[in-house]
């Protein structure tokens, strides 16, 4: 079974499990580092990413998302994505109100095609195709 | 113990990105290779500087950013 390893990103004393993922929309594409967040139901990305892709994201399905720091509005789209050579469609919510810098990969549906292991000792994320 | 941690970090090529807090940064693997204040400027630089490789980009969290706000439902 093919596996992909991504070292955690270090910022000062903090480590973050991020993976590389490519988003495609029409003829545009961008490869991003995004945080794998098993607590997040949805994948939530920054509005700058949609703007760069030329995606009119406010035409998507309106959702209100709850986090510890409050409620934000976002718009859901289904985009073609590539992770580790595997192409599939991923639901992504874009929001201008996202209060964190990270693009967030949540369980619905980034986690569905993969088996994901967080190796805290070795500071890496291991992803296998499910 | 400290040396062991350092060896592990070297093996996994973990780079501290604290210096880039608040900036959009392009990476080859986990190594920062270019940065800018906004995504459009960064992507213009990346297209000029990296013809064959495809860096991955992200906005680096500010030093004072609260990461306890990452749960969404």
């Amino acid at each position: 079974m093919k596996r992909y390893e991504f070292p955690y990103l270090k910022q000062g004393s903090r480590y973050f499990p991020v993976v590389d993922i490519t988003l495609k929309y029409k003829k545009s594409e961008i490869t991003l580092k995004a945080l794998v967040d098993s607590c997040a139901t949805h994948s939530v990305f920054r509005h700058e990413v949609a703007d760069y892709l030329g995606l009119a994201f406010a035409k998507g399905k309106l959702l209100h998302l709850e986090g510890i720091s409050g409620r934000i509005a976002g718009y859901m789209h289904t985009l073609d994505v590539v992770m580790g050579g595997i192409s599939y469609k991923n639901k992504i919510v874009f929001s201008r109100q996202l209060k964190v810098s990270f693009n967030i990969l949540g369980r619905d549906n980034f986690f569905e095609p993969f088996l994901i292991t967080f190796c805290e000792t070795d500071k890496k994320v291991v992803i296998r195709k499910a | 113990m400290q040396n062991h941690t350092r060896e592990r970090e070297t093996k996994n090529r973990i780079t501290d990105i604290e210096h880039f807090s608040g900036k959009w940064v392009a990476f080859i693997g986990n190594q920062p290779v270019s940065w800018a204040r906004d995504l459009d400027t960064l992507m213009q630089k990346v297209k000029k500087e990296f013809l064959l490789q495809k860096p991955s980009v992200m906005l680096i969290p500010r030093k004072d950013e609260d990461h306890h706000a990452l749960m969404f439902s």
Side-chain angles (χ1 to χ4, degrees):
Chain A
M1 187 186 294
K2 198 161 187 177
R3 57 184 264 161
Y4 304 92
E5 292 190 9
F6 297 92
Y8 281 13
L9 206 61
K10 181 182 180 188
Q11 186 182 31
S13 60
R14 300 177 297 186
Y15 291 84
F16 299 104
V18 297
V19 301
D20 289 355
I21 186 167
T22 300
L23 271 56
K24 296 182 175 184
Y25 177 69
K26 294 184 177 175
K27 291 182 179 176
S28 299
E29 68 175 57
I30 186 169
T31 301
L32 299 152
K33 286 195 182 301
L35 185 80
V36 183
D37 184 1
S38 60
C39 288
T41 305
H42 300 291
S43 296
V44 190
F45 278 49
R46 295 189 59 85
H47 67 90
E48 293 96 328
V49 176
D51 294 340
Y52 177 78
L53 290 170
L55 171 66
F57 68 94
K59 291 182 178 175
K61 180 186 175 187
L62 176 62
L63 292 178
H64 289 95
L65 307 170
E66 297 283 349
I68 287 177
S69 64
R71 192 175 194 234
I72 67 168
Y75 299 90
M76 182 181 281
H77 293 263
T78 301
L79 295 184
D80 292 320
V81 303
V82 181
M83 209 300 298
I86 300 166
S87 301
Y88 66 104
K89 291 189 182 296
N90 203 109
K91 289 183 272 186
I92 295 175
V93 177
F94 292 97
S95 177
R96 288 193 188 280
Q97 298 170 356
L98 186 59
K99 294 181 177 72
V100 294
S101 298
F102 286 114
N103 296 301
I104 298 164
L105 291 167
R107 296 191 314 278
D108 184 13
N109 59 320
F110 175 73
F111 281 50
E112 288 178 10
F114 305 114
L115 297 172
I116 300 172
T117 306
F118 297 90
C119 303
E120 289 298 316
T121 307
D122 291 333
K123 300 283 186 282
K124 64 184 179 185
V125 188
V126 179
I127 297 181
R128 300 175 180 85
K129 189 158 184 347
Chain B
M1 181 65 120
Q2 207 169 11
N3 285 343
H4 185 63
T5 304
R6 201 169 294 141
E7 283 172 20
R8 185 179 294 142
E9 289 184 2
T10 303
K11 186 181 173 188
N12 288 340
R13 285 175 262 138
I14 291 176
T15 303
D16 193 340
I17 42 95
E18 178 114 307
H19 174 69
F20 301 103
S21 298
K23 297 185 177 75
W24 282 90
V25 176
F27 294 85
I28 301 288
N30 260 23
Q31 302 301 312
V33 292
S34 190
W35 56 89
R37 288 185 184 276
D38 59 77
L39 178 59
D40 285 339
T41 305
L42 178 63
M43 294 308 290
Q44 286 173 18
K45 288 173 74 174
V46 163
K47 282 179 182 171
K48 283 182 189 170
E49 294 170 13
F50 300 94
L51 298 175
L52 300 176
Q53 291 167 299
K54 194 187 290 181
S56 54
V57 302
M58 70 174 286
L59 177 61
I60 306 300
R62 301 178 310 276
K63 287 178 185 174
D64 62 346
E65 197 165 304
D66 176 14
H67 296 102
H68 295 101
L70 290 179
M71 291 202 310
F72 291 98
S73 59

